[in-house]
Amino acid sequence: MRTPEDELATLSEEGLLRSLRRMESGQLIDANSDGRKVINFSSNDYLGLSRDEALVNAACEATRRHGAGSGASRLISGTLPPHHALEEKIAEWKGTQAALSFANGYATAIGVLGAFLTKGDVVILDKLCHASLIDGARQSGATLRVYPHNDLNKLEDLLGHYRERLPGSSRLIIVTESIFSMDGDRAPLPEIINLAEQHHALLLLDEAHAVGILGSGGQGLAEELGIQDRVTFQMGTLGKAIGSGGGYVAASRSWIDLLLNKARPFIYSTAPPPAQAAASLCGIEVITSSRGEALRNRLWSNISRLAELLGKKPISAIMPVILGTNQAALNASLALLETGYLVPAIRFPTVPRGSARLRITLSAEHTAESIEGLHTNLLKSP
Ligand SMILES: *Cc1c(COP(=O)(O)O)cnc(C)c1O
């Protein structure tokens, strides 16, 4: 029988071994395990809300009122006032009839795709979709087809092919992210929506890295483009810009009713703690307020500054520096860490083989000085 030691040795030889990094807090300037200070350029807490006083207070208050745990699954007796309030807020924010929250974004993807799809249905995914979407599509039992990243011609071919052949009762669904998590680029959303409508396909849009950053109230790319109402399922995480934890999907009432009847990660799991739902609600309230707008503006000026230094277009808060080999990415990450900048090396299977990279993420809390310092040291790294 193969041993875990053998597998670990293989991973290590390939430069693919992973281990946990111990951080002291989620702070922007944090102590690494050896006690040295590092500036964090790896967090998805884009607006710095995870340590925001309002969110921390909301979590404490909800814990005092409703307890540290929910005690049961949502459909039994675990649905408490913070869960209701959060879901009503998400629906209002996203302009839908209803919304449902989950323990995290991963469980949301598995739950939604598993609930809505079955054998005989077809799911068409962008090649660079997040692992949670791929896993959800696989587990659903539907036929899974992948189109090259943002390739509208290939998407149209696949849609045409299956629309002709699928029986009327079968579902055809397109799955894409709005901002891609490891590349930081955007999906051509208006064109994708047009194709979905022409071919009577559903659309699941994961706004994980666009929420809090794009849109008049931080709703994401669909709202920024004025096409929220044409997206069947608006999905995302509450754990990134929103500053708490959890996941959600916003859609029409019937889809949400079906979801809560059929999504296994929702049904067979204890409801998230009240503190998580209350902090998430507070995070959305901050994001939609004038304070949220100011944070978004600060983030965008940081994005513009780093994009200018790197000679790139300011598209999102994620800026990859593609280095190719695992070792090159690991070496560059280590060199930056030694000069006080935490930028992770991202390797297979998170990104395709041969495209290992540094993934820089920016926050509203970074200063121009720290961004310039990162850039200077990036040039020096091997
Ligand atoms: C992070 C992420 C998820 C998962 O969300 P969690 O709340 O972290 O589980 C899903 N989709 C995308 C695109 C993500 O980047």
Side-chain angles (χ1 to χ4, degrees), residues 44 103-107 109 129-130 132-133 177 179 181-182 206-209 235-240 245-247 359:
N44 300 313
N104 50 59
Y106 186 89
C129 275
H130 190 260
S132 59
L133 300 165
E177 297 175 26
I179 301 279
S181 61
M182 295 299 141
D206 187 342
E207 296 254 32
H209 297 279
M235 185 202 130
T237 173
L238 301 162
K240 290 172 180 159
R359 176 179 182 264

Side-chain angles (χ1 to χ4, degrees), residues 18 25 48 50 64 82 134 195 208 252 284 304-305 342 361 380:
R18 295 163 190 233
S25 71
S50 73
R64 275 191 212 97
I134 298 168
L195 287 175
S252 72
I284 296 172
S304 298
R305 182 72 189 121
L342 176 56
T361 49
K380 286 189 212 146

Side-chain angles (χ1 to χ4, degrees), residues 27 47 54-55 65 70 82 87 99 103 119 126 146 155 193 210-211 236 255 296 331-332 356 378:
Q27 297 195 357
L47 302 175
L55 273 78
R65 265 198 205 196
S70 299
E87 287 163 354
K119 198 164 179 290
D126 185 288
V146 169
L155 173 61
I193 292 185
V211 152
W255 282 117
R296 257 194 307 290
N331 290 345
L378 202 56

Side-chain angles (χ1 to χ4, degrees), residues 97-134:
Q97 289 172 340
L100 199 66
S101 63
F102 287 73
N104 50 59
Y106 186 89
T108 310
I110 303 286
V112 171
L113 291 164
F116 294 155
L117 301 177
T118 187
K119 198 164 179 290
D121 295 332
V122 176
V123 50
I124 306 179
L125 274 119
D126 185 288
K127 175 121 176 57
L128 294 188
C129 275
H130 190 260
S132 59
L133 300 165
I134 298 168

Side-chain angles (χ1 to χ4, degrees), residues 175-221:
V175 178
T176 184
E177 297 175 26
S178 53
I179 301 279
F180 283 84
S181 61
M182 295 299 141
D183 290 68
D185 60 343
R186 301 183 186 193
L189 195 55
E191 290 82 0
I192 291 176
I193 292 185
N194 286 340
L195 287 175
E197 289 173 351
Q198 280 162 26
H199 295 87
H200 307 289
L202 308 169
L203 175 64
L204 171 63
L205 180 66
D206 187 342
E207 296 254 32
H209 297 279
V211 152
I213 296 163
L214 299 174
S216 63
Q219 295 94 331
L221 181 60

